[in-house]
Amino acid sequence: RGWGTVGDQFDNLEKHTQWGIDFVEKYTKFVKERSEIETNYAKQIRNLSKKYQPKKNSREEEESKYTFCRAFLTSLNELNDYAGQHEVIAENLTSQIITELSRYLQDLKAERKSHFHDGRKAQQHIESSWKQLETCKRRFERDCKEADRAQQYFERMDADINVTKADVEKARQQAQVRHQMAADSKSEYSSYLQKFNQEQNDHYFTIIPNIFQKLQDMEERRIDRIGVCMKTFADVDRQVLPIVGKCLDGMTKAAESIEPKTDSKQVVESFKSGFEPPGDVEFEDYGQAMKRTVSDTSLSNSKEAREKPAGKSKGKLWPFIKNKNKVTHAIPHLPPPASSPPSPSAVPNDPQSPKQQKEPLSHRLNDFMSSKPKMHCLRSLRRGGSGPEDFSHLPPEQRRKKLQGKIDELNKDIQKEMDQRDALTKMRDVYVKNPQMGDPASVDPRLSEIGQNIEKLQFEAQKFEVIYLLLRSKPTSTPSPPTSSTPEFDDEFDDEETLPTIGTCKALYPFEGHNEGTIAVAEGELLYVIEEDKGDGWTRVRRNEDEEGYVPSSYVEVFLETNAKGAMTYI
């Protein structure tokens, strides 16, 4: 049944349609709040993913070697894509529901207003017709009463013998006039009554039903639109489910790609030092004096040193073994001086100097050191700083890897600069052939700059290549101590017996030895070697029986005696 059957419920229908509009507004607000929730959720997910992304530093390179770290990074990236799908949900809710409903609400309110305006107009018209009908009815009633009174008055006058004939005639005419007025009122009332009945019939059976039918159609469209929006509300979520599923599949695949054994093997690759394990400790016979031969140019106290009994080996112990009496000192990194080392002719070609003919690669390395690196103070070392650019703070195996990576990186930069140079050269050739296209001289400054860059990069690459070659020639030596974990020196020179000498050395450069555990030496000075470089870049020497300490291995040239064992240890 249509709304035309409830034509007398105009006010109730007006309230009902207004409630329908309020519901649309409420549903629009609901979807808007859901969209805001999706937006905020996506933002929080993106911030979470960004927060746990690895930082751009060397530590990231180390972490990327492990499958579980790569899996976590993949999960973070997938989570970021997952957040993007919630942003898509928010955008679709806004464009497909909120915007559409907001526009529809405006049209719905305007249509409802128009229909109820027509209904009120029809209602007012029928009410006005009813009032006119009532007026006609009252006039007819009044005229009838007046005609009846005039007739009664005429009859009394006609029956009275004392009334003149003229008065009777006047009364008769008055009665006739009243009767005519009553007849006219009756005719008017009858005619308007017929008209009103027709209008009333049209009002209740045509006009109002048509208006209510339009309101009914409007209401049904409103309800249908709400249903479509509710379906769209679900479809918006359903549309992103395949991509969300792919994100979750990506996380699952990343988790399944974790390989515990591969990661455990990577630990070996990351921390393998390249040092050889120590050999067997030989028996030291304290019953016989150590017999050593030293050249005539050795120290003046060589005789006293030979007469002293051999001491105990005080070198560093193998890992996991602790020496409770050891006192450690942090020694700053002391690289070789920037100045070129003495030429081979300035160093005596002593028979005990077999390394003189094997030094050209070392001299070549020193030639590349164009500036003296900045010294690190003890405080900065304790805080931990970045290692030297030649990676001398790393064990040999790790250092080789870093150097190779640095060389590859420099070669890539060189190739990039050369490609730019080739492109600019071609451009300049085009300008030369076609001056109208540009000035060839405008390219020269950039070509000059690129040439300088290539020269610098090639110089750096050559420097690291020399270091790499040196390292390969000495696979177990590391010339400089680490900056983040500095070498440990024994502070027990006076607590135990003096170590035996295992050779001699000559200072190539002056060393001031301000730090505890070190000893100052002058350029060209000859000293005893009592402990060989153990891979940390320091050699232990003795000047006399009261003065001994550590000097940088790169500052001295060592001449070990044949079959000398001394205090050699490995780390």
Side-chain angles (χ1 to χ4, degrees), residues 250-416:
M251 295 181 188
T252 303
K253 187 177 180 181
E256 293 173 350
S257 68
I258 297 177
E259 300 177 356
K261 291 188 179 298
T262 302
D263 288 345
S264 63
K265 292 178 181 178
Q266 184 59 45
V267 176
V268 177
E269 293 296 325
S270 298
F271 300 107
K272 183 170 62 176
S273 66
F275 293 126
E276 295 293 334
D280 295 339
V281 178
E282 296 185 3
F283 175 76
E284 297 183 11
D285 189 355
Y286 293 96
Q288 297 181 2
M290 299 296 292
K291 296 181 180 181
R292 299 186 180 274
T293 60
V294 183
S295 64
D296 295 336
T297 59
S298 300
L299 299 177
S300 59
N301 60 346
S302 59
K303 182 177 180 180
E304 298 176 3
R306 288 197 303 270
E307 293 175 354
K308 291 187 67 69
K312 293 188 295 182
S313 174
K314 297 194 323 86
K316 292 184 181 178
L317 302 177
W318 190 245
F320 311 116
I321 304 176
K322 303 295 183 180
N323 186 349
K324 296 181 180 180
N325 297 326
K326 180 177 289 186
V327 179
T328 62
H329 300 279
I331 304 300
H333 172 42
L334 297 172
S339 59
S340 300
S343 62
S345 60
V347 181
N349 192 9
D350 194 284
Q352 298 179 359
S353 304
K355 296 178 65 177
Q356 282 295 324
Q357 302 301 325
K358 299 182 181 180
E359 287 299 317
L361 199 57
S362 298
H363 291 305
R364 187 179 173 193
L365 172 62
N366 289 328
D367 290 338
F368 283 116
M369 300 300 180
S370 58
S371 61
K372 185 175 182 179
K374 186 179 294 185
M375 302 281 285
H376 297 282
C377 64
L378 182 61
R379 182 179 299 175
S380 66
L381 289 173
R382 287 176 177 173
R383 292 176 178 172
S386 59
E389 66 171 1
D390 61 354
F391 307 108
S392 57
H393 62 293
L394 298 175
E397 188 70 23
Q398 303 304 318
R399 189 184 183 195
R400 276 196 292 267
K401 293 180 181 179
K402 288 291 185 180
L403 287 171
Q404 185 62 57
K406 184 68 174 179
I407 293 171
D408 295 341
E409 180 183 349
L410 288 170
N411 287 333
K412 290 180 181 179
D413 293 341
I414 292 172
Q415 186 60 45
K416 184 177 179 181

Side-chain angles (χ1 to χ4, degrees), residues 150-151 153-154 167-177:
Q151 183 64 31
Y153 179 71
F154 167 70
D167 290 337
V168 172
E169 185 62 24
K170 182 178 179 180
R172 186 182 63 80
Q173 293 178 354
Q174 187 68 24
Q176 290 178 348
V177 171

Side-chain angles (χ1 to χ4, degrees), residues 75-93:
S75 298
L76 291 177
N77 294 334
E78 294 292 350
L79 188 63
N80 192 62
D81 295 340
Y82 175 81
Q85 297 311 304
H86 285 275
E87 292 176 346
V88 172
I89 291 176
E91 292 172 0
N92 291 340
L93 288 176

Side-chain angles (χ1 to χ4, degrees), residues 102-283:
S102 299
R103 187 184 303 111
Y104 175 71
L105 267 173
Q106 301 300 321
D107 297 338
L108 183 65
K109 290 179 180 179
E111 182 181 0
R112 175 181 175 276
K113 182 179 180 180
S114 175
H115 292 329
F116 278 103
H117 175 73
D118 295 340
R120 289 191 183 91
K121 186 177 179 180
Q123 191 72 22
Q124 291 172 359
H125 178 73
I126 196 66
E127 289 176 357
S128 176
S129 296
W130 172 257
K131 290 180 181 179
Q132 290 182 1
L133 177 63
E134 287 293 319
T135 300
C136 292
K137 179 181 177 182
R138 285 193 296 271
R139 185 185 302 114
F140 172 60
E141 181 182 8
R142 185 180 66 249
D143 289 345
C144 287
K145 289 179 179 180
E146 290 293 333
D148 186 56
R149 283 195 296 269
Q151 183 64 31
Q152 291 177 4
Y153 179 71
F154 167 70
E155 289 177 356
R156 284 196 308 271
M157 292 293 288
D158 187 46
D160 190 355
I161 60 173
N162 296 321
V163 178
T164 63
K165 188 176 180 179
D167 290 337
V168 172
E169 185 62 24
K170 182 178 179 180
R172 186 182 63 80
Q173 293 178 354
Q174 187 68 24
Q176 290 178 348
V177 171
R178 291 296 181 184
H179 279 290
Q180 185 61 42
M181 291 177 62
D184 293 342
S185 296
K186 180 180 179 180
S187 176
E188 181 183 6
Y189 170 63
S190 176
S191 175
Y192 204 85
L193 177 61
Q194 185 179 0
K195 178 182 177 183
F196 174 77
N197 288 335
Q198 182 63 39
E199 289 180 351
Q200 181 176 254
N201 185 73
D202 293 341
H203 176 79
Y204 285 106
F205 292 97
T206 303
I207 298 176
I208 292 300
N210 288 340
I211 293 174
F212 282 4
Q213 184 62 43
K214 293 178 180 178
L215 288 172
Q216 182 178 358
D217 295 341
M218 179 193 73
E219 180 70 3
E220 289 175 356
R221 289 196 304 272
R222 178 192 68 81
I223 297 172
D224 182 68
R225 179 62 66 90
I226 288 293
V228 171
C229 290
M230 289 182 178
K231 183 175 180 297
T232 303
F233 185 86
D235 290 340
V236 165
D237 267 333
R238 187 176 292 108
Q239 289 170 1
V240 302
L241 287 180
I243 302 179
V244 169
K246 289 182 179 179
C247 294
L248 298 177
D249 291 342
M251 295 181 188
T252 303
K253 187 177 180 181
E256 293 173 350
S257 68
I258 297 177
E259 300 177 356
K261 291 188 179 298
T262 302
D263 288 345
S264 63
K265 292 178 181 178
Q266 184 59 45
V267 176
V268 177
E269 293 296 325
S270 298
F271 300 107
K272 183 170 62 176
S273 66
F275 293 126
E276 295 293 334
D280 295 339
V281 178
E282 296 185 3
F283 175 76

Side-chain angles (χ1 to χ4, degrees), residues 436-476:
Q436 67 276 10
M437 297 184 65
D439 182 12
S442 63
V443 185
D444 292 339
R446 179 58 180 160
L447 282 174
S448 177
E449 180 183 353
I450 292 177
Q452 294 176 2
N453 292 342
I454 293 175
E455 185 179 351
K456 291 179 182 178
L457 290 172
Q458 289 176 339
F459 178 83
E460 287 292 318
Q462 192 174 7
K463 179 179 69 175
F464 282 103
E465 287 173 358
V466 171
I467 299 174
Y468 184 77
L469 292 174
L470 274 175
L471 187 62
R472 292 193 63 179
S473 66
K474 295 182 179 181
T476 60

